Amino acid sequence: MTEAIDPELERQIKEDVQLIQRIAERDSAAFQTFYRKYSGLIFAAISNVLNDHHDTEDVMQEVLVQLWNKAHLYEPRKGKPLTWLTTMARNRAIDRIRSKQRRSRLNDDFESENKKLEFEFQESGHEILEEKERDTIVQRAVSKLNDDQRQAIHLAYFTGLTQAEVAERLNEPLGTIKARIRRGVSRLETLVKPRLA
């Protein structure tokens, strides 16, 4: 026995599908209507994952931009518009957590790698010079990468975006970005290691 679908729910879903289709056609009135109806639910879905108001606001903004830019990718046969959007929001929130964790790990790794057994005094003039020289060597090496590698590495390592976020920002497939970063890092190692040895 098939379950009867609530006619009101069915009408609501149909209306939402039409709104998404209009958003795909760059209809700002449809976007505003969808926002008024569901912004609270989407915000709550993000907040449940992040539990941080500032990050939730940032991710909410990213999700709204994603809705505007990717509405054309929505396929009604794969699920309801609200399910599609809350899944997108949840994934975006999870990406934010991973990005923060990665940055935190990088900071921890950097600090532990550079900690010395001696007491923490102000750096000597010699240490400051060495640090500046290292920075210069790394900057020169980065400038020798091709534009694509330099851009991807800058976004991933200096801006702190995840590889998925880099791919989205550059409008490139994730596999292409991963390969670009891998080749760029490998090239940097080749250029930097002999100079820092």
Side-chain angles (χ1 to χ4, degrees):
M1 186 175 162
T2 56
E3 197 177 306
I5 297 173
D6 176 6
E8 175 56 27
L9 179 62
E10 197 170 2
R11 185 195 63 74
Q12 189 67 56
I13 292 168
K14 207 178 237 181
E15 192 178 289
D16 290 348
V17 168
Q18 288 170 347
L19 282 173
I20 294 279
Q21 288 167 342
R22 286 172 50 204
I23 292 168
E25 295 164 2
R26 299 297 203 216
D27 183 334
S28 59
F31 181 85
Q32 288 170 2
T33 302
F34 200 88
Y35 175 81
R36 277 193 300 273
K37 279 176 82 172
Y38 295 120
S39 60
L41 279 171
I42 296 163
F43 191 88
I46 297 166
S47 184
N48 284 341
V49 175
L50 295 176
N51 201 22
D52 176 284
H53 189 75
H54 179 72
D55 281 347
T56 299
E57 286 180 339
D58 284 353
V59 171
M60 177 75 175
Q61 183 69 34
E62 291 169 13
V63 169
L64 294 173
V65 169
Q66 205 170 0
L67 168 63
W68 182 254
N69 290 329
K70 296 196 172 184
H72 66 282
L73 298 176
Y74 169 69
E75 294 179 41
R77 62 187 174 79
K78 289 189 176 177
K80 297 179 237 170
L82 185 59
T83 306
W84 175 70
L85 197 60
T86 51
T87 301
M88 190 190 306
R90 188 174 174 280
N91 290 343
R92 202 76 182 182
I94 290 167
D95 282 348
R96 172 62 62 106
I97 289 171
R98 286 181 182 145
S99 174
K100 285 180 94 168
Q101 287 171 341
R102 201 173 101 254
R103 275 197 299 268
S104 175
R105 274 196 310 274
L106 282 172
N107 283 339
D108 291 348
D109 290 350
F110 179 79
E111 283 177 19
S112 65
E113 211 173 282
N114 289 297
K115 259 191 184 151
K116 293 177 182 146
L117 296 173
E118 61 193 60
F119 294 106
E120 290 188 22
F121 293 110
Q122 233 180 355
E123 287 183 302
S124 70
H126 179 70
E127 287 168 331
I128 291 169
L129 276 175
E130 278 183 351
E131 196 174 305
K132 282 187 177 178
E133 189 178 335
R134 273 196 307 271
D135 287 351
T136 304
I137 290 167
V138 171
Q139 286 172 359
R140 282 189 187 138
V142 169
S143 72
K144 289 180 183 171
L145 298 176
N146 69 41
D147 288 344
D148 290 341
Q149 290 172 350
R150 187 170 48 248
Q151 190 176 29
I153 283 176
H154 175 77
L155 290 171
Y157 290 100
F158 300 106
T159 310
L161 298 180
T162 64
Q163 291 183 344
E165 289 169 330
V166 173
E168 191 170 310
R169 176 83 59 94
L170 299 178
N171 201 20
E172 296 272 8
L174 181 57
T176 301
I177 293 302
K178 285 182 175 182
R180 204 174 278 172
I181 290 172
R182 193 171 48 249
R183 284 193 298 271
V185 167
S186 174
R187 175 104 173 96
L188 281 176
E189 283 178 359
T190 306
L191 293 167
V192 168
K193 268 187 182 170
R195 302 285 312 275
L196 294 179

